[in-house]
């Protein structure tokens, strides 16, 4: 999945003034020719380090918020799933943002993989230059909170609400496929809706067009700037690789979590 994430980031950080890639195929070709095959895995360490606590936070807090937002009802309602998804995404965003800052900085660099500094060294450079705050290791925090909050809100709400409306199958294989398709659709829809915030996040956390001048600073202003200068299509840059990663990936995460919970409830 990491090569898809790198391709998404490369598309999102390029503006009309710095355009390098005309298509996904062109992006793959140029990265391979100019940077080498290992460069598709630039920035892989921060997601690896953050993935387990990120997923644990996503699903654990969703379950807790789901109970909180049931407001005394005997079972969670459609509103419960929606608010719990939103709150879990915001919580997740606070945790993941420093890792995202380091990852985007590494993915944006165009040199050969072997010449790139390590994730730890990049983190130290960021902290040394700008500290831990909103100009440093927590740069683009608002965009990250919007991105994760909106994604989880749609992702969890769609899956649990639609799954409840659709009649389950008795056949285990068909039931698995039913849940997988609902999760796939939910992840894809959430990716389409939250991507403008993803583009803003990449522009803020990535290299600025002019060295020494911060053009992309705040979330909503960045979205407005991209829209005015490049048009609405620019707010959807990187959508296809994002959907290819988070559509099936989102479905797999939901099913693993659901079947694991079922197993634990039956065996503990």
């Amino acid at each position: 999945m990491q090569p898809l994430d790198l391709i998404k980031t490369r598309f999102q950080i390029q503006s009309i003034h710095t355009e390098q890639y005309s298509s996904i195929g062109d992006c793959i070709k140029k990265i391979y020719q100019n940077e080498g095959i290992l460069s598709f895995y630039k920035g892989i360490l921060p997601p690896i380090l953050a993935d387990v606590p990120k997923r644990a936070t996503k699903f654990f807090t969703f379950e807790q918020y789901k109970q909180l937002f049931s407001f005394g009802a005997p079972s969670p309602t459609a509103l419960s799933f929606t608010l719990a998804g939103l709150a879990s995404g915001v919580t997740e965003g606070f945790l993941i943002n420093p890792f995202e800052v380091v990852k985007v900085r590494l993915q944006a660099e165009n040199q050969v993989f072997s010449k790139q500094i390590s994730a730890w060294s990049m983190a130290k450079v960021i902290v040394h230059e700008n500290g831990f705050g909103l100009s440093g290791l927590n740069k683009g925090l608002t965009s990250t909170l919007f991105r994760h909050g909106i994604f989880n809100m749609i992702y969890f709400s769609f899956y649990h609400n639609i799954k409840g409306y659709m009649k389950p199958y008795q056949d285990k294989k068909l039931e698995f496929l039913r849940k997988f398709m609902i999760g796939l659709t939910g992840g894809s829809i959430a990716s389409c809706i939250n991507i403008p915030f993803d583009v803003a996040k990449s522009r803020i956390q990535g290299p600025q067009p002019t060295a020494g001048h911060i053009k992309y600073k705040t979330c909503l202003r960045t979205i407005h700037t991209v829209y005015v200068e490049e048009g609405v299509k620019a707010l959807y840059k990187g959508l296809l690789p994002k959907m290819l990663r988070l559509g099936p990936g989102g479905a797999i995460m939901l099913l693993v979590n659901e079947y694991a919970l079922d197993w634990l409830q039956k065996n503990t």
Side-chain angles (χ1 to χ4, degrees):
M1 295 293 186
Q2 179 64 16
L4 289 172
D5 190 55
L6 180 131
I7 292 167
K8 181 208 73 170
T9 301
R10 289 292 179 91
F11 273 108
Q12 290 180 342
I13 63 176
Q14 69 175 9
S15 67
I16 54 174
H17 306 294
T18 60
E19 191 160 346
Q20 294 177 288
Y21 312 114
S22 59
S23 66
I24 291 178
D26 181 57
C27 182
I28 293 171
K29 179 182 177 181
K30 287 179 178 177
I31 292 173
Y32 176 74
Q33 290 179 339
N34 300 328
E35 304 171 43
I37 193 166
L38 288 178
S39 291
F40 287 104
Y41 295 90
K42 285 179 176 179
I44 193 172
L45 185 58
I48 289 175
L49 293 176
D51 201 57
V52 173
K54 172 186 174 181
R55 305 305 177 197
T57 300
K58 177 194 289 285
F59 288 102
F60 175 76
T61 58
F62 173 73
E63 292 298 324
Q64 304 310 306
Y65 287 129
K66 186 173 68 176
Q67 299 303 318
L68 176 65
F69 292 123
S70 292
F71 303 114
S75 60
T77 63
L79 180 62
S80 303
F81 293 128
T82 303
L83 294 178
L86 175 62
S88 71
V90 171
T91 305
E92 179 187 14
F94 278 109
L95 173 70
I96 200 68
N97 194 64
F99 296 93
E100 287 290 315
V101 172
V102 176
K103 184 197 75 173
V104 170
R105 284 283 294 270
L106 291 170
Q107 289 181 335
E109 294 185 341
N110 294 319
Q111 75 267 42
V112 177
F113 182 83
S114 60
K115 295 182 179 180
Q116 187 174 56
I117 64 174
S118 67
W120 175 246
S121 297
M122 178 61 78
K124 290 196 293 185
V125 168
I126 293 169
V127 172
H128 176 73
E129 292 177 349
N130 297 297
F132 291 93
L134 298 178
S135 297
L137 209 55
N138 269 295
K139 193 174 187 180
L141 177 61
T142 304
S143 301
T144 302
L145 297 181
F146 271 115
R147 184 182 78 155
H148 286 264
I150 291 172
F151 183 90
N152 281 10
M153 178 180 70
I154 297 166
Y155 174 67
F156 282 117
S157 178
F158 185 91
Y159 179 76
H160 288 285
N161 286 314
I162 297 299
K163 187 182 71 168
Y165 286 124
M166 293 178 65
K167 185 178 179 180
Y169 291 104
Q170 296 300 316
D171 184 277
K172 290 184 178 180
K173 291 182 179 179
L174 289 176
E175 178 61 7
F176 178 88
L177 182 60
R178 179 184 79 99
K179 292 178 179 178
F180 181 84
M181 292 307 298
I182 296 171
L184 174 69
T185 306
S188 299
I189 293 172
S191 296
C192 292
I193 294 175
N194 86 330
I195 195 167
F197 298 99
D198 199 358
V199 171
K201 171 187 160 300
S202 295
R203 293 290 179 98
I204 293 167
Q205 294 177 345
Q208 300 294 308
T210 304
H213 172 69
I214 300 178
K215 180 176 182 178
Y216 306 114
K217 189 173 183 180
T218 63
C219 176
L220 297 180
R221 180 168 291 183
T222 296
I223 290 175
H224 180 261
T225 299
V226 173
Y227 170 73
V228 170
E229 294 185 353
E230 303 172 45
V232 69
K233 287 178 64 177
L235 294 172
Y236 292 85
K237 285 185 175 181
L239 177 59
L240 181 57
K242 180 183 175 78
M243 289 180 63
L244 290 173
R245 184 170 66 91
L246 292 180
I252 291 168
M253 281 193 299
L254 282 167
L255 290 177
V256 168
N257 178 71
E258 185 168 318
Y259 283 105
L261 281 176
D262 288 344
W263 185 89
L264 288 171
Q265 289 170 354
K266 292 175 181 177
N267 294 276
T268 56

